């Protein structure tokens, strides 16, 4: 009997060697309450407990992978998420085949990116409420030891839960060629890429003369030579509908273009890079009706704000949002042009400024403007003429200095200075212009096997919310535990009723691949941004429970 079972056991064991199952759970829960300063809006007060939860599962056997994500927004989604996210349903599902010969095929939901994402990017970010996968098919082929890579895809975009899809079909081809390999050289690295994207959407009487087909053509060139790198990308979009501007604009259709150039130098202890980008009418949505929607639904490409991404709460009050859109009402805007520069330097150990452990300094500055142009408004149509590199009104600028130093074996500290020039009138299309200066002192102390984080911030502003003070302390102990308390105090607000504390306190437990966080506090209203993409959140007070685990 044992001899008969042995081949079966060996066969099952071999199957287990090829098979792998993974799953993860991400559950974000809030219970909203009223306090003396903040009350839940009447339209939202019918349901105070809300939850966004995601169960992701993948099963891999040899070259095949099957995946699915079940999503729950019960009883309702967290505040200010798209109303398309509701109930419990199958959010995404796919089957993938990938072999060692360079063949990669996916059917079902998939995320992808062409180049930097200006031509096409679909991705998921749960914090921002973005889940804009394509549903259809994608084929990726690699030739001659990755000398050339070609991707082709076709599908419709997810715009809600379950099987809710955009009516628009999206097709695309992206190809990349390794010039260095083709030339047989190892002294530099160079590749060139080409992108084509088509979206086909049936005619709509609300968008007179809007074409059924909109095409995007892109070319990019990436180079590295020793310590230098240069990346350049240019894209052109054929005529596409813009957000309905006004009753006197029945045409409502314009072409667009984008240019992005990055030049840098990096070696041990020193780096410098600069980015120049120009966007003209280059926001792309799969659904005309959703152009410019606040939830980033039906978004097909990626136009992040190219400014420093701050880790500190006060510096994120006046955060820039990219302005790629063309509008004629209520404001006349055609896009943006600007630049960002980063300089990083490390003072070596033993030098006057490096001291015993060395010192790191980072300097960043950015300037962003509208496109200078001539806008003409006629009785039955509008026109705009722009010049390639002319600067219009300044939308935003900042200057930042970040100094980090290890003072002793158990004490790391950082000093941060941030200056921001924020044109509220242009960015948020509300009146005002803010000049804000923020300073931060960030400290981390090691205490035996524990650690203590102490962070102090202050912001001076000439208008809007005016002055703020903030503090954070976090104690990590016994490897698995941490507790934290933070507060943002808007003591300088001209409206005394709004001079309030936005406090939060709570704890975190971590073990292996599980993390549980519980907290209570007030959420400041405004923009929340991840990777330069933002969404609005309302002021609220309540309890929060987050659970993340993999198994």
């Amino acid at each position: 009997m044992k001899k008969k079972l042995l081949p079966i056991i060996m066969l099952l064991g071999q199957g287990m060697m090829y098979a792998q199952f993974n799953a993860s759970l991400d559950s974000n829960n809030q219970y909203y309450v009223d306090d003396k300063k903040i009350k839940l809006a009447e339209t939202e007060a019918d349901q105070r407990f809300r939850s966004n939860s995601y169960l992701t599962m993948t099963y891999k056997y040899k070259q095949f992978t099957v995946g699915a994500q079940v999503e729950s927004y019960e009883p309702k989604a967290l505040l200010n998420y798209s109303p398309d996210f509701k109930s419990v349903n199958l959010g995404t599902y796919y089957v993938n085949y990938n072999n060692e010969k360079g063949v990669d095929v996916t059917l079902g939901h998939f995320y992808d990116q062409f180049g930097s994402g200006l031509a096409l990017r679909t991705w998921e970010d749960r914090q921002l409420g973005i889940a804009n996968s394509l549903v259809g098919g994608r084929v990726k082929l690699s030739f001659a030891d990755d000398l050339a890579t070609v991707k082709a895809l076709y599908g419709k975009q997810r715009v809600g839960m379950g099987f809710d899809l955009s009516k628009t079909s999206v097709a695309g081809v992206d190809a990349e060629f390794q010039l260095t390999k083709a030339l047989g050289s190892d002294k530099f690295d160079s590749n060139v890429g080409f992108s084509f994207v088509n979206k086909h959407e049936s005619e709509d009487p609300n968008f007179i003369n809007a074409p059924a087909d909109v095409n995007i053509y892109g070319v990019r060139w990436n180079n590295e030579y020793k310590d230098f790198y240069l990346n350049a990308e240019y894209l052109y979009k054929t005529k596409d509908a813009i957000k309905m501007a006004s009753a006197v604009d029945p045409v409502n259709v314009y072409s667009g273009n984008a240019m992005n150039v990055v030049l840098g130098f990096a070696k041990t202890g020193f780096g410098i890079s600069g980015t120049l980008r120009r966007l003209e009418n280059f926001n792309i949505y799969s659904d005309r009706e959703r152009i410019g929607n606040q939830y980033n639904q039906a978004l097909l490409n990626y136009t992040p704000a190219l400014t420093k991404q701050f880790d500190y709460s006060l510096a994120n009050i006046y955060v820039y949002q990219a302005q790629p859109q063309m509008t004629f009402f209520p404001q006349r805007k055609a896009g943006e042009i600007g630049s960002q520069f980063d300089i990083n330097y490390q003072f070596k150990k033993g030098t006057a400024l490096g001291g015993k452990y060395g010192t790191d300094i980072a300097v960043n500055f950015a300037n962003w403007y509208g496109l200078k142009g001539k806008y003409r408004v006629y009785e039955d149509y509008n026109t705009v003429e722009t010049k390639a590199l002319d600067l219009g009104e300044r939308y935003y600028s900042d200057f930042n200095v970040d100094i980090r130093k290890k003072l002793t074996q158990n004490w790391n500290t950082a000093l941060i200075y941030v200056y921001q020039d924020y044109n509220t009138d242009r960015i948020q299309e509300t009146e005002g212009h803010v000049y804000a200066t923020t300073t931060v002192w960030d400290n981390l102390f090691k205490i035996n096997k524990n650690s203590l984080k102490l962070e102090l911030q202050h912001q001076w502003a000439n208008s809007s919310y005016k002055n703020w003070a903030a503090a954070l302390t976090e104690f990590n102990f016994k490897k698995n535990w941490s507790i934290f308390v933070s507060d943002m105090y808007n003591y300088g607000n001209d409206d005394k009723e709004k001079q309030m504390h936005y406090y939060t306190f709570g704890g975190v437990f971590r073990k292996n691949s599980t993390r549980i966080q519980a907290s209570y506090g007030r959420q400041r209203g405004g923009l929340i941004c991840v990777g330069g993409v933002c969404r609005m959140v309302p002021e609220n007070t309540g309890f929060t429970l987050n659970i993340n685990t993999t198994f």
Side-chain angles (χ1 to χ4, degrees), residues 347-399:
F347 293 97
K348 296 181 179 180
K349 300 176 183 179
T351 61
L353 295 177
K356 184 177 180 180
Y357 299 101
T359 303
D360 296 327
I361 182 169
V363 178
N364 170 279
F365 53 96
N367 286 281
W368 292 95
Y369 302 83
L371 300 181
K372 189 174 183 179
K374 294 180 179 179
Y375 298 82
R376 296 182 175 90
V377 179
Y378 298 98
E379 183 176 350
D380 56 354
Y381 69 95
N382 298 332
T383 65
V384 58
E385 296 177 6
T386 62
K387 293 185 178 180
L389 299 177
D390 283 7
L391 305 179
E393 185 178 357
R394 179 181 288 178
Y395 288 173
Y396 177 85
S397 68
D398 65 25
F399 175 76

Side-chain angles (χ1 to χ4, degrees), residues 46-62:
D46 62 319
Q47 187 58 62
R48 292 184 176 273
F49 174 74
R50 301 182 179 216
S51 177
N52 293 6
S53 297
Y54 312 85
L55 176 63
T56 306
M57 298 166 288
T58 59
Y59 177 78
K60 184 174 183 180
Y61 180 75
K62 294 185 177 180

Side-chain angles (χ1 to χ4, degrees), residues 23 152 171 238 243 284 322 359 362 381 399 420 423 441 497 532 542:
T238 60
K243 188 175 182 179
I284 305 164
T359 303
Y381 69 95
F399 175 76
Q420 294 166 297
N423 190 335
W441 185 29
E497 288 296 317

Side-chain angles (χ1 to χ4, degrees), residues 17 36 48 57 74 87 96 99-100 102 114 144 167 188 202 271 278 288 315-316 325 364 383 465 477 503 526:
M17 290 176 61
K36 294 181 179 179
R48 292 184 176 273
M57 298 166 288
E74 285 283 4
S87 70
N96 173 262
N99 67 21
E100 296 178 353
F114 289 180
K167 296 179 181 179
F188 66 100
S202 59
R278 183 186 187 276
R288 300 187 196 105
N316 278 300
Q325 71 276 11
N364 170 279
T383 65
Y465 302 106
F477 58 99
Y503 54 84

Side-chain angles (χ1 to χ4, degrees), residues 295-478:
Y295 303 111
N296 293 311
Q297 293 286 289
L299 191 61
L300 273 175
N301 71 335
Y302 183 58
T303 55
L306 295 183
T307 61
K308 185 175 179 63
Q309 304 303 301
F310 299 107
D311 297 324
Y312 302 99
S313 57
L314 296 188
N316 278 300
I317 293 177
Y318 304 108
V319 61
Y320 182 63
Q321 286 182 281
Q323 304 290 308
Q325 71 276 11
M326 178 180 288
T327 63
F328 286 90
F329 182 82
Q331 295 188 351
R332 299 175 184 178
K333 297 190 290 188
E336 70 169 19
I337 182 171
S339 59
Q340 176 184 219
F341 293 89
D342 285 289
I343 302 173
N344 297 274
Y345 188 79
Q346 184 179 65
F347 293 97
K348 296 181 179 180
K349 300 176 183 179
T351 61
L353 295 177
K356 184 177 180 180
Y357 299 101
T359 303
D360 296 327
I361 182 169
V363 178
N364 170 279
F365 53 96
N367 286 281
W368 292 95
Y369 302 83
L371 300 181
K372 189 174 183 179
K374 294 180 179 179
Y375 298 82
R376 296 182 175 90
V377 179
Y378 298 98
E379 183 176 350
D380 56 354
Y381 69 95
N382 298 332
T383 65
V384 58
E385 296 177 6
T386 62
K387 293 185 178 180
L389 299 177
D390 283 7
L391 305 179
E393 185 178 357
R394 179 181 288 178
Y395 288 173
Y396 177 85
S397 68
D398 65 25
F399 175 76
N400 318 278
V401 180
D402 187 322
I403 303 171
R404 296 181 181 269
K405 184 171 180 59
K406 185 175 183 178
L407 294 176
T408 69
Q409 190 67 31
N410 299 314
W411 182 13
N412 291 313
T413 192
L415 291 172
I416 294 94
Y417 169 86
V418 180
Y419 173 78
Q420 294 166 297
D421 176 344
Y422 186 88
N423 190 335
T424 311
D425 177 51
R426 286 300 192 172
I427 298 171
Q428 297 184 4
E429 297 189 353
T430 58
E431 292 185 2
H433 199 124
V434 182
Y435 302 95
T437 299
T438 307
T439 57
V440 181
W441 185 29
D442 191 359
N443 299 274
L444 181 63
F445 304 92
K446 293 181 181 179
I447 307 170
N448 297 324
K449 294 183 179 181
N450 308 318
S451 65
L452 174 66
K453 179 180 176 64
L454 177 62
E455 180 186 298
L456 300 174
Q457 304 179 51
H458 192 275
Q459 182 176 92
W460 298 264
N462 69 309
S463 60
S464 188
Y465 302 106
K466 292 201 170 176
N467 293 358
W468 291 80
L472 164 69
T473 182
E474 179 181 301
F475 183 56
N476 298 278
F477 58 99
K478 292 186 177 180

Side-chain angles (χ1 to χ4, degrees), residues 60 62-65 95-106 138-146 148-152:
K60 184 174 183 180
K62 294 185 177 180
Q63 287 86 21
F64 290 91
T65 302
V95 178
N96 173 262
Y97 172 81
N98 190 351
N99 67 21
E100 296 178 353
K101 296 182 179 180
V103 178
D104 188 336
V105 181
T106 301
R138 178 189 61 186
V139 177
K140 180 180 178 181
L141 302 174
S142 298
F143 303 95
D145 193 25
D146 294 332
T149 303
V150 179
K151 290 187 290 187

